[in-house]
Amino acid sequence: MSNKVYVDVLAEFTTDGILIPRSLRWKDGTVYEIQRVNDMRRATSLKAGGVGMRYTCMIDDRERHLYYEDNNLWFVEGRA
């Protein structure tokens, strides 16, 4: 069963006001660099629930979804 895993994210705003995540810290303290953001769109997490901006990111050469919720928290879809 999947759930939300809240993570700390280092992000920055571009000069045109777009929020871009640069790295995330997993719950065990490991920091992962976000190599590239392939897509950004408002979306619902079908696996974990919740809605917000979904960032499709390359992390460790694998495509992952990172969500920024309306409550200003970041999460990824995890496994229980």
Side-chain angles (χ1 to χ4, degrees):
M1 175 179 210
S2 296
N3 61 0
K4 289 182 187 179
V5 177
Y6 287 98
V7 292
D8 292 329
V9 172
L10 177 63
E12 65 184 17
F13 284 99
T14 65
T15 55
D16 30 337
I18 298 170
L19 182 61
I20 303 292
R22 298 298 183 198
S23 66
L24 66 86
R25 183 187 324 269
W26 192 246
K27 56 188 175 181
D28 69 358
T30 304
V31 175
Y32 295 94
E33 178 187 347
I34 297 171
Q35 297 153 328
R36 183 175 66 247
V37 176
N38 293 332
D39 185 56
M40 296 179 298
R41 68 181 68 207
R42 189 151 180 85
T44 301
S45 169
L46 299 178
K47 294 180 181 178
V51 66
M53 285 300 293
R54 181 183 73 194
Y55 293 81
T56 303
C57 304
M58 295 301 294
I59 301 170
D60 282 347
D61 296 319
R62 296 181 71 185
E63 192 171 84
R64 303 284 186 202
H65 289 136
L66 174 64
Y67 292 84
Y68 184 63
E69 291 184 304
D70 295 337
N71 61 6
N72 300 322
L73 296 176
W74 295 89
F75 77 89
V76 294
E77 297 165 335
R79 289 179 173 58

